[in-house]
Amino acid sequence: ISFKICRMSDTKPISFCLRSSSVKFWKTELDVVDDLRLKTIMRMLKTPHFNAKMNSLKEVSKLIDESMSNASNKYKRPIQPPQLVAWLIDNKVLSIALEGNLHQTQYCERLKAVMDFLGDKLELEELTTIWKLQDGQHQVVIDNIHMLIAAVSVRFTQDQLSHLFQLIKASWTTESNRAREKLLVLVGKLGKDDRVGKISGQILELLWDLAHLDTLPTEIVEQALRSHSTVLVDSFNIKEQVRRQYLMLCIEDIKRGTWVVPAFKQLLKILRALGRSSYQKPDRAIIPEIHKQTDLLKLTVGSLQRCHAVACQLVKAPYSLSTVKVDGRYTHDECVA
């Protein structure tokens, strides 16, 4: 069969008729028909033509749907999930499908269904291969790969998540600041979507440590903080003591007079989130408790006074007080805003 010249839609009714007839009249031949169907899908997937590859992924998605919805239906007798997983892994279907077209959103949506079905069966080697596909690629491809990984990560085992974490850390050391921003967005999404608390604690710690690095430009620090607050505030599984921990860390930074502006920003985000109308009454009770322990008003006023005093010492003509950088990163105006 030449998949370049034939219509892909022709293979679907033929396959359907063969299988339906086999289920009803030639049950002993059903495995042969299924084998033919799988071989046809593989041939379509291995062609360089986009339409053929798209249709092959549609057929794989159909196999997955049949397998999951009719697994116990003795009349339809679909390929069982364990058999389908084995076929996908043995024939490296995902690796072949990932060889191109990753700039196409609709193609990646089809790939997501395959990856989601494999879930915790996805091998670490294949996960590494997927991660490395973004090297030297256009930003659209990188975004789509991150989307695929984030979507399937909710089904990862602890080993898979730890491996992914190591891949992210390794990339951080070699990537540009632009790429690091994208990594921070991905890390934040992983933490937010971590509904069972597998890695949210590790992600919060990583983002906090990254935001404190003196060598990072301000925009990367701000992105790390945004991702951190997304996980800390919006994630379902973050407990009260974790939010309390980061509230106190912000306060400690302010008291030391180091990392003051980011600490205030982060403190304000957490307090606002906890102050919103919520069913989580224990979370809301943190605010008056923290204020009682630390006297937030006095802490804020004292920090403003120190900031102004430092700026007055540093300012020299022809610079104005408003533009002098109090801590080497933030100006006087930014500190008091």
Side-chain angles (χ1 to χ4, degrees):
I1 298 174
S2 173
F3 292 115
K4 183 177 181 180
I5 61 175
C6 78
R7 291 182 301 174
M8 294 301 110
S9 57
D10 292 342
T11 63
K12 296 179 182 179
I14 294 173
S15 174
F16 177 78
C17 289
L18 278 173
R19 198 174 199 287
S20 298
S21 299
S22 297
V23 169
K24 192 167 186 179
F25 302 110
W26 308 300
K27 294 181 179 179
T28 57
E29 302 299 319
L30 187 56
D31 289 343
V32 176
V33 174
D34 283 339
D35 186 55
L36 176 62
R37 185 184 183 187
L38 295 176
K39 286 181 178 179
T40 303
I41 290 172
M42 286 305 300
R43 285 196 62 188
M44 294 166 65
L45 187 61
K46 289 179 179 180
T47 66
H49 311 295
F50 177 74
N51 287 339
K53 295 176 80 71
M54 270 295 291
N55 277 281
S56 69
L57 288 179
K58 288 179 182 178
E59 284 298 299
V60 173
S61 295
K62 188 175 180 181
L63 283 173
I64 292 171
D65 290 340
E66 291 172 358
S67 176
M68 299 301 292
S69 60
N70 300 309
S72 59
N73 192 322
K74 65 179 181 180
Y75 298 105
K76 294 188 177 182
R77 292 183 60 186
I79 300 175
Q80 296 297 300
Q83 294 173 278
L84 188 53
V85 168
W87 175 76
L88 289 168
I89 293 175
D90 293 345
N91 290 275
K92 298 189 179 300
V93 172
L94 187 57
S95 294
I96 296 170
L98 286 163
E99 289 176 356
N101 302 306
L102 292 178
H103 61 290
Q104 299 280 359
T105 303
Q106 67 269 34
Y107 186 82
C108 290
E109 286 295 327
R110 292 291 176 183
L111 275 174
K112 185 166 68 173
V114 180
M115 290 180 63
D116 187 59
F117 178 69
L118 286 172
D120 57 2
K121 303 297 190 299
L122 190 65
E123 295 179 347
L124 299 185
E125 181 182 352
E126 197 149 35
L127 181 56
T128 301
T129 300
I130 295 169
W131 184 259
K132 289 183 177 179
L133 285 172
Q134 62 188 304
D135 293 347
Q137 292 294 329
H138 189 272
Q139 195 58 57
V140 174
V141 175
I142 296 173
D143 288 343
N144 284 339
I145 291 173
H146 287 186
M147 178 272 292
L148 288 171
I149 290 173
V152 75
S153 66
V154 294
R155 297 193 58 202
F156 279 177
T157 64
Q158 188 60 56
D159 285 344
Q160 288 171 314
L161 288 169
S162 297
H163 185 69
L164 174 60
F165 221 56
Q166 291 303 317
L167 292 172
I168 293 173
K169 287 181 178 179
S171 294
W172 182 270
T173 61
T174 59
E175 293 289 1
S176 64
N177 286 333
R178 173 62 177 165
R180 286 176 176 176
E181 288 184 35
K182 292 292 183 179
L183 287 175
L184 288 172
V185 173
L186 172 61
V187 169
K189 183 166 180 55
L190 290 174
K192 183 180 178 182
D193 294 343
D194 178 26
R195 295 177 180 267
V196 294
K198 289 181 180 178
I199 56 169
S200 55
Q202 298 176 53
I203 286 177
L204 285 171
E205 185 177 344
L206 172 65
L207 291 171
W208 185 262
D209 290 342
L210 289 175
H212 279 73
L213 291 177
D214 294 332
T215 55
L216 287 183
T218 302
E219 58 269 19
I220 301 297
V221 172
E222 298 286 350
Q223 180 61 61
L225 285 173
R226 284 193 293 271
S227 296
H228 187 273
S229 62
T230 296
V231 178
L232 188 64
V233 172
D234 297 335
S235 184
F236 292 95
N237 59 72
I238 300 299
K239 299 183 184 298
E240 175 189 335
Q241 60 263 33
V242 177
R243 293 192 176 99
R244 183 193 298 270
Q245 172 192 348
Y246 283 101
L247 276 171
M248 297 309 298
L249 286 174
C250 289
I251 290 171
E252 289 302 317
D253 278 328
I254 295 168
K255 287 181 176 179
R256 285 195 297 267
T258 59
W259 209 70
V260 174
V261 174
F264 265 118
K265 288 182 176 181
Q266 204 70 348
L267 180 64
L268 187 59
K269 287 179 183 177
I270 300 171
L271 290 174
R272 280 176 174 169
L274 295 177
R276 290 197 296 261
S277 296
S278 171
Y279 63 88
Q280 297 177 351
K281 293 182 179 179
D283 280 353
R284 297 183 66 187
I286 295 176
I287 299 176
E289 183 181 336
I290 293 294
H291 178 65
K292 183 178 180 180
Q293 291 177 356
T294 61
D295 194 344
L296 291 175
L297 182 59
K298 182 177 180 181
L299 180 71
T300 303
V301 172
S303 179
L304 286 171
Q305 289 174 335
R306 286 195 299 272
C307 170
H308 183 72
V310 171
C312 289
Q313 291 178 354
L314 293 175
V315 66
K316 294 180 181 178
Y319 300 104
S320 65
L321 186 67
S322 61
T323 58
V324 65
K325 290 189 175 182
V326 177
D327 58 358
R329 186 186 293 274
Y330 294 97
T331 65
H332 177 271
D333 277 4
E334 289 171 325
C335 289
V336 300

